[in-house]
Amino acid sequence: LKIPGEDLPKVKHYYNDPHPYFAMKVAVVGAANSAVDVALECYRKGAKEVIMVVREPEISQKVKYWVRPDLINRIKEGSIKAYFNSAITEVREHEIDINTPDEGAITIDNDFVLAMTGYQPDFTFLRSIGVNIGEDESKTPSYNAQSMETNVAGVYLAGVICGGLK
């Protein structure tokens, strides 16, 4: 995010469980799959308030086709508030500042900022056992698309790791 307050403990760049955010005011940064999943999970597991801060004018068209309408409906009904074409400009212990096109600079109460601005898989284990990881910007692991076996006999891939950084 590169903003004042990003180093506070309340700012998380990785997410693994919605339960710590029960009864909390949560701001989710991002508009792609990770951000959408986090916003919906926090909302469904009892976050007091979930807002999304999205730099783009809408939720990404690349979001899973079965999840995107769910989030859009939660925004339309007011269960999740979304600030589009917006950015957090500062994080403080109990507040965040957001620059919005409609309301200008606003300050809202906040307990946690979940910055879901890009999934970065950890290739350490795969590299340590000899799996070839692409040297280009996508860092796609080497595997057979039919069998999912990597260049290391007996080692198979599944899930998002197959896409590398895509």
Side-chain angles (χ1 to χ4, degrees):
L1 299 175
K2 297 181 174 71
I3 58 170
E6 182 176 10
D7 58 340
L8 290 171
K10 71 184 255 177
V11 179
K12 310 291 182 191
H13 291 275
Y14 295 96
Y15 169 88
N16 59 4
D17 185 27
H19 295 97
Y21 310 111
F22 175 79
M24 299 289 162
K25 293 183 177 186
V26 177
V28 178
V29 180
N33 281 300
S34 294
V36 168
D37 288 345
V38 167
L40 287 169
E41 281 189 16
C42 288
Y43 160 70
R44 291 202 171 100
K45 297 299 181 185
K48 183 175 187 177
E49 175 183 80
V50 177
I51 67 158
M52 293 187 75
V53 182
V54 179
R55 289 185 189 265
E56 293 82 22
E58 66 179 1
I59 299 300
S60 173
Q61 294 291 327
K62 295 179 180 179
V63 170
K64 294 171 278 206
Y65 72 87
W66 64 93
V67 177
R68 190 173 187 272
D70 185 8
L71 178 71
I72 290 170
N73 286 332
R74 300 301 70 76
I75 292 169
K76 284 181 183 174
E77 75 185 16
S79 298
I80 294 175
K81 170 77 173 162
Y83 293 96
F84 293 104
N85 297 308
S86 300
I88 296 178
T89 56
E90 186 169 349
V91 178
R92 290 181 298 285
E93 189 174 347
H94 300 290
E95 298 174 321
I96 58 174
D97 294 336
I98 306 171
N99 189 17
T100 73
D102 298 329
E103 301 175 52
I106 61 171
T107 298
I108 63 169
D109 292 338
N110 172 265
D111 297 308
F112 288 96
V113 175
L114 305 176
M116 303 292 104
T117 55
Y119 172 70
Q120 298 278 327
D122 185 350
F123 298 111
T124 307
F125 173 71
L126 291 177
R127 283 189 176 114
S128 75
I129 61 171
V131 173
N132 292 333
I133 305 296
E135 295 302 319
D136 62 354
E137 65 184 35
S138 72
K139 305 277 188 249
T140 305
S142 179
Y143 66 96
N144 178 305
Q146 296 296 317
S147 68
M148 305 307 285
E149 187 173 25
T150 67
N151 60 287
V152 177
V155 176
Y156 298 82
L157 297 181
V160 297
I161 196 73
C162 297
L165 298 180
K166 293 180 192 173

